[in-house]
């Protein structure tokens, strides 16, 4: 059987993906090659030559990516912080920029023993599992409405436990359902959320429009339909001194911090950029009701 240089197969694939409009053709071509060889991307140099049968298989995978099937579907899983997250139809693919929110959240609970963490709009369970993987002593509760997403979250929690992780508690339902979280009122040291926030009608990449569930992406005309009620819900779940982190659209760098500042029980409202420097998440701290009344910081 004839053998060909892996580098030329990857270069050809990169060209195909570039023509198909894929945003990172070179990286994707390498990721797919590494996946098929069962090695990490950094180890591709260890395999200079591949069989032509391998190249056929590789090209078939590249053709799927050229149809704009998300890379993560083809790889089957995503590394998110210390967690391995399986993804596929029906669930939002965790994005690397959300890891900044997790890093902030972990720093916020760094000095606490057995912290209670609640992740709202949990999707695949990525944020909850990344926190649990880094803080096995934490009690982590994840809330998700979509049955399809919950099934993926269940699978990911199972995988996390199989790898020796602490179980994450999954609650299926709408975050606005008062019965769903009433036992956790004022119990959380940290509340995290990456809710749907893209304003309706915004143009998105084919990987998003064709594969991410619309209910995971779009948040009403201004993108704030879920974020607005979520702020009240999160404020009620936080204990005094507890921390809140909410991801938002890059057009929300002023509006979402303003919504948080308008809550009397929240203070230290800070806006944070993501890895690309765009406004991406906002954080705040819960204060005591009496302090809030004395400070008179808003409604
Ligand atoms: C952007 S995805 C985020 C998933 C995950 N947190 C992540 O970062 O990868 C938003 C998720 O919120 C869920 N969702 C939307 N509205 C909700 C609601 N009212 N209650 C509970 N979950 C909701 C969607 O089904 C979707 O899975």
């Amino acid at each position: 059987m004839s053998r060909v240089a892996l580098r030329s197969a990857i270069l050809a694939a990169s060209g195909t993906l570039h023509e198909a409009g894929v945003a990172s053709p070179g990286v994707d071509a390498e990721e797919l090659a590494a996946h098929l060889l069962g090695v990490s991307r950094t180890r591709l140099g260890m395999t200079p030559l591949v069989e032509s049968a391998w190249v056929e298989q590789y090209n078939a995978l590249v053709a799927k990516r050229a149809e704009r099937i998300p890379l993560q579907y083809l790889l089957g899983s995503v590394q998110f912080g210390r967690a391995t997250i399986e993804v596929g139809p029906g669930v939002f693919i965790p994005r690397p920029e959300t890891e900044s929110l997790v890093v902030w959240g972990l720093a916020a609970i760094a000095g606490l023993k057995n912290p209670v963490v609640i992740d709202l709009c949990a999707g695949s369970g990525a944020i909850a599992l990344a926190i649990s993987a880094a803080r096995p002593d934490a009690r982590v509760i994840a809330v998700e409405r979509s049955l399809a997403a919950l099934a993926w979250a269940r699978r990911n929690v199972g995988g996390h436990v199989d790898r020796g992780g602490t179980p994450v508690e999954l609650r299926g339902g709408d975050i606005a359902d008062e019965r769903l979280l009433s036992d956790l009122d004022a119990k959380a040291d940290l509340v995290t959320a990456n809710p749907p926030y893209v304003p309706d009608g915004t143009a998105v990449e084919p990987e998003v429009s064709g594969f991410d569930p619309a209910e995971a992406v779009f948040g009403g005309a201004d993108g704030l339909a879920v974020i607005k009620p979520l702020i009240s819900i999160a404020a009620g779940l936080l204990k005094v001194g507890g921390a809140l982190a909410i991801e938002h659209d890059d057009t929300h760098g002023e509006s979402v911090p303003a919504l948080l500042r308008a809550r009397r029980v929240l203070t230290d409202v800070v806006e944070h950029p993501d890895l690309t420097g765009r406004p991406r998440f906002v954080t705040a701290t819960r204060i005591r009701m009496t302090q809030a009344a004395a400070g008179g910081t808003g409604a």
Side-chain angles (χ1 to χ4, degrees), residues 7-185:
R7 205 20 69 193
S8 24
I10 291 176
L11 267 179
S14 176
T16 305
L17 297 182
H18 176 71
E19 274 173 34
V22 170
S24 48
V27 172
D28 288 24
E30 287 189 357
E31 285 287 2
L32 291 172
H35 173 66
L36 207 54
L37 287 168
V39 300
S40 70
R41 230 175 100 210
T42 52
R43 301 210 140 237
L44 283 172
M46 313 279 279
T47 312
L49 295 173
V50 284
E51 304 289 345
S52 50
W54 183 91
V55 177
E56 264 177 48
Q57 259 183 299
Y58 177 57
N59 287 344
L61 211 49
V62 170
K64 287 189 182 167
R65 183 69 189 102
E67 288 166 27
R68 308 297 294 269
I69 296 175
L71 177 71
Q72 297 84 349
Y73 277 26
L74 301 173
L75 302 180
S77 66
V78 188
Q79 197 61 34
F80 184 82
R82 293 193 198 179
T84 304
I85 305 296
E86 291 190 33
V87 290
V91 74
F92 181 85
I93 297 169
R95 308 295 205 263
E97 53 264 33
T98 305
E99 291 191 33
S100 309
L101 178 151
V102 171
V103 168
W104 186 91
L106 286 170
I109 55 170
L112 305 175
K113 262 192 194 161
N114 307 116
V116 174
V117 180
I118 304 175
D119 181 38
L120 303 174
C121 298
S124 61
I127 296 175
L129 288 165
I131 290 174
S132 178
R135 287 295 303 268
D137 63 318
R139 177 184 177 199
V140 183
I141 301 108
V143 188
E144 170 57 46
R145 183 176 64 179
S146 147
L147 291 179
L150 261 182
W152 283 104
R154 224 168 267 129
R155 187 171 167 153
N156 284 321
V157 170
H160 173 71
V161 171
D162 290 347
R163 288 186 287 274
T166 310
V168 162
E169 299 172 38
L170 290 176
R171 297 201 184 178
D174 197 305
I175 57 165
D177 177 349
E178 285 176 9
R179 292 158 304 174
L180 192 62
L181 296 167
S182 55
D183 59 313
L184 295 168
D185 275 353

